[in-house]
Amino acid sequence: MHRNWTALLLALCLPPFAVAKGADFGWSPPAIGAGLFTEQLGMLERERDEYADSLATHAANRVATAKADKSSLTEARRLVALALHLAPRNRKALVLSFQLARGVLPEPQAGNYQPEVLASLLATRAEVLKQQGGEQNSYLARIFTELAAEMNPTNDDAVYASELQRIDHGPIDWSRLTDAKPSPVLSEP
């Protein structure tokens, strides 16, 4: 009799564990390589990490809300890549990428900023980066400007700036961020 109860208990408990693996979203983690932004970037390490947190949180919320549809995963891949280029050890970006690779739908997260506010912050920071000059600052300014317009298409200033830069420079080549070539592996002595 004891065996029957044990078998029944196991039968009831095992199915949830069997399903725990998750769905296959087709997530391809971004390849960051050595990273695009060095210490020449006009942002402090803490600021870089805060922006990475905000971008990863926005990506997680977008994927959760859209139930991991193709569009949200494409956007998340871009945002996770950018977050990891800004802060390669960013906890939120690494955890989100890991979860999506295993088919785990992220839980909506409380972020510091609503998308409209984050878009305004990105647009403002882009202007400061442009004023600082330099190749890395200019490139990140272009990325932030394009993201600001995409996150909040009702922000006329961000949309106008994004469209001007698209006319002058073309759209951002996201594959430069998402599909970087890996650094050569050094052999151990």
Side-chain angles (χ1 to χ4, degrees):
M1 177 91 146
H2 184 290
R3 287 184 195 149
N4 291 341
W5 283 108
T6 305
L8 179 62
L9 182 61
L10 283 174
L12 291 174
C13 292
L14 286 179
F17 293 117
V19 180
K21 181 186 178 285
D24 181 10
F25 299 137
W27 173 259
S28 174
I32 305 305
L36 290 175
F37 305 115
T38 65
E39 56 277 344
Q40 294 174 347
L41 184 65
M43 294 174 79
L44 298 173
E45 190 174 321
R46 180 178 172 155
E47 182 185 16
R48 290 167 69 145
D49 199 52
E50 288 173 359
Y51 273 95
D53 276 350
S54 295
L55 293 167
T57 299
H58 178 77
N61 289 339
R62 172 86 170 82
V63 169
T65 301
K67 303 286 188 237
D69 71 4
K70 186 176 179 177
S71 164
S72 69
L73 290 171
T74 299
E75 182 181 351
R77 190 165 188 265
R78 290 176 172 185
L79 295 175
V80 166
L82 177 56
L84 292 174
H85 278 287
L86 289 172
R89 293 177 172 262
N90 182 269
R91 179 184 177 97
K92 289 185 180 188
L94 289 170
V95 168
L96 176 61
S97 185
F98 181 91
Q99 289 174 337
L100 292 175
R102 281 144 187 86
V104 176
L105 189 64
E107 294 288 325
Q109 303 174 16
N112 292 337
Y113 308 107
Q114 294 296 321
E116 296 80 14
V117 175
L118 179 57
S120 292
L121 287 172
L122 292 172
T124 301
R125 190 60 176 105
E127 289 303 315
V128 173
L129 286 166
K130 284 180 199 172
Q131 291 170 3
Q132 288 176 305
E135 185 180 334
Q136 291 184 24
N137 290 335
S138 296
Y139 188 61
L140 184 57
R142 287 186 55 221
I143 293 169
F144 278 4
T145 299
E146 187 171 298
L147 283 176
E150 289 176 4
M151 283 182 190
N152 186 8
T154 63
N155 181 333
D156 292 350
D157 294 334
V159 170
Y160 181 67
S162 179
E163 286 302 297
L164 286 180
Q165 87 180 15
R166 185 187 55 77
I167 291 168
D168 293 342
H169 305 286
I172 297 296
D173 177 12
W174 284 97
S175 67
R176 185 172 172 199
L177 283 99
T178 59
D179 300 310
K181 294 189 173 101
S183 302
V185 177
L186 299 176
S187 61
E188 291 190 34

